[in-house]
Amino acid sequence: MKISEILKNNRCTVSFEVFPPKQWDKIESTKAVVDEMCKANPSFMSVTYGATGTKAGFTQEIAEEIKRCGVTPLSHLTCLTSTKEKVDSVVDGLKAAGVENILALRGDIPEGFVFPDEQYFEYAYQLVNEIKERGDFCIGGACYPEIHTESKNRVEDMEHLKYKVDCGLDFLTSQMFFDNEKFLDFVEMCRIKGIDVPIIAGIMPITNARQIKRSIELSNCSVPKKFYKIMERFGDDDASMLQAGIIYATEQIIDLMANGINNIHIYTMNKPAVALQIMGGLSEIIR
Ligand code: FAD
């Protein structure tokens, strides 16, 4: 099923995310994680793609497993470090496997990376155009409520986002954020700018204090005082932090839904217990 259909009916949706294994010998354990997560009946489940393209085959394998479990898969695809030929072969593989949804991404720039030549795509919008050429896919893209780290300012960021959406995106998924006001303001700015596709809110449950440091470094997203207090108080005790992180994410989702945001994507990071507990906390709300 196309995700654009799932997002159409104005009901609350909650999707999950998994990442593929680095080595083939871990494929069965990753599939077991997928099977467990599918029990919570997410609206769809996405599977990430290695920026260097090395995990390409595994992404498709996991997408196929999600489909086998009766859940709609969304396959991520990055383009920066893959040749056009490689990108085309991945897209064709997904088409042959019946995967109808692709999240078209540029990928982060590896350290010391020099853009090779015209055999490569430089930006995600070029990948969107390419995917559209190769099949009838539902295509999503990334967006950044607190501005992409490489953008000079909000105006530039919004210009590029609008251009990418106009290339034919069906929906956007946001980078994680911890302050709902940032996301709500961003959605309003998108609407003013004429970006009218569904914008799915990306929620990252922080379940240990080390993880948040790394996540903030990578994303540049702001952390509310309330969350710092939680980390200060519970960060040294893994079990307490896990519980607090799940409750914080659940509250964040409830607040977003109360503010009219229907579509939530949880960065579940191969943690079925976290996914199942958050869904448990929302059971009546999303029923
Ligand atoms: P783009 O939309 O191409 O934007 C990248 C930068 O270029 C922005 O600063 C933008 O403003 C600028 N830009 C765009 N067009 C132009 C132009 N014409 N001229 C000049 N500048 C321009 N990474 C992975 O490796 N694997 C994953 O599976 C993955 N999944 C993700 C899922 C989500 C929901 C998100 C939010 C991110 C994900 N990422 C993933 C990270 C992503 O690849 C990086 O954030 C990357 O740096 C940007 O990707 P993009 O698709 O947003 O790029």
Side-chain angles (χ1 to χ4, degrees):
M1 190 176 193
K2 288 200 169 130
I3 289 171
S4 46
E5 290 298 317
I6 296 172
L7 301 176
K8 229 178 207 172
N9 60 15
N10 228 12
R11 287 171 61 182
C12 292
T13 66
V14 180
S15 50
F16 295 165
E17 181 160 308
V18 286
F19 53 86
K22 287 200 175 99
Q23 273 112 24
W24 183 251
D25 61 0
K26 296 279 183 329
I27 196 88
E28 290 308 322
S29 56
T30 308
K31 284 185 182 177
V33 164
V34 167
D35 299 356
E36 198 55 29
M37 286 212 214
C38 285
K39 289 182 188 158
N41 202 20
S43 307
F44 64 89
M45 200 186 301
S46 76
V47 49
T48 63
Y49 190 93
T52 57
T54 49
K55 287 179 251 170
F58 302 163
T59 294
Q60 183 180 321
E61 278 281 324
I62 298 301
E64 287 180 52
E65 178 65 13
I66 294 168
K67 197 163 183 266
R68 201 192 59 75
C69 292
V71 172
T72 297
L74 166 63
S75 190
H76 293 202
L77 176 58
T78 64
C79 60
L80 188 66
T81 55
S82 298
T83 60
K84 289 181 182 175
E85 206 183 354
K86 170 74 183 167
V87 165
D88 287 349
S89 82
V90 175
V91 173
D92 293 348
L94 291 170
K95 189 175 170 181
V99 176
E100 295 177 279
N101 308 287
I102 300 180
L103 193 72
L105 301 147
R106 188 199 64 183
D108 281 322
I109 302 175
E111 231 178 277
F113 180 79
V114 181
F115 186 70
D117 54 39
E118 70 281 358
Q119 290 306 306
Y120 289 73
F121 298 103
E122 198 171 359
Y123 297 110
Y125 78 83
Q126 296 163 319
L127 177 60
V128 177
N129 290 333
E130 184 71 8
I131 297 168
K132 283 193 90 66
E133 287 277 308
R134 296 198 83 78
D136 179 26
F137 289 97
C138 167
I139 311 173
C143 63
Y144 305 84
E146 296 178 74
I147 307 179
H148 185 259
T149 45
E150 287 161 41
S151 291
K152 282 196 218 91
N153 52 50
R154 170 75 70 191
V155 176
E156 185 187 286
D157 206 52
M158 287 304 244
E159 285 297 331
H160 293 148
L161 184 61
K162 168 81 171 134
Y163 188 82
K164 182 165 70 171
V165 171
D166 288 348
C167 285
L169 288 185
D170 296 290
F171 66 93
L172 290 167
T173 304
S174 88
Q175 188 175 52
M176 64 174 180
F177 56 91
F178 300 103
D179 181 346
N180 285 354
E181 290 305 318
K182 305 272 183 207
F183 181 79
L184 295 169
D185 289 349
F186 170 72
V187 173
E188 202 176 338
M189 282 183 268
C190 286
R191 300 313 181 214
I192 291 168
K193 184 82 188 159
I195 296 170
D196 52 12
V197 294
I199 303 174
I200 305 175
I203 299 297
M204 170 76 89
I206 296 293
T207 52
N208 73 58
R210 293 171 299 284
Q211 178 196 355
I212 194 165
K213 285 198 189 96
R214 175 101 183 105
S215 302
I216 293 164
E217 272 166 26
L218 289 175
S219 68
N220 219 7
C221 67
S222 47
V223 179
K225 199 173 165 197
K226 179 180 169 184
F227 199 79
Y228 271 121
K229 287 277 171 205
I230 290 173
M231 281 196 303
E232 262 174 42
R233 180 78 170 82
F234 306 113
D236 292 336
D237 183 293
D238 285 353
S240 305
M241 192 59 222
L242 175 71
Q243 191 169 43
I246 287 169
I247 291 173
Y248 188 92
T250 309
E251 277 184 13
Q252 219 190 326
I253 294 169
I254 293 171
D255 180 58
L256 286 167
M257 288 180 171
N259 279 284
I261 304 299
N262 283 343
N263 309 120
I264 307 290
H265 183 68
I266 309 176
Y267 293 106
T268 42
M269 310 303 286
N270 297 23
K271 292 178 185 153
V274 172
L276 291 161
Q277 283 182 58
I278 294 179
M279 288 301 254
L282 300 170
S283 57
E284 291 305 313
I285 291 163
I286 57 171
R287 185 159 50 96

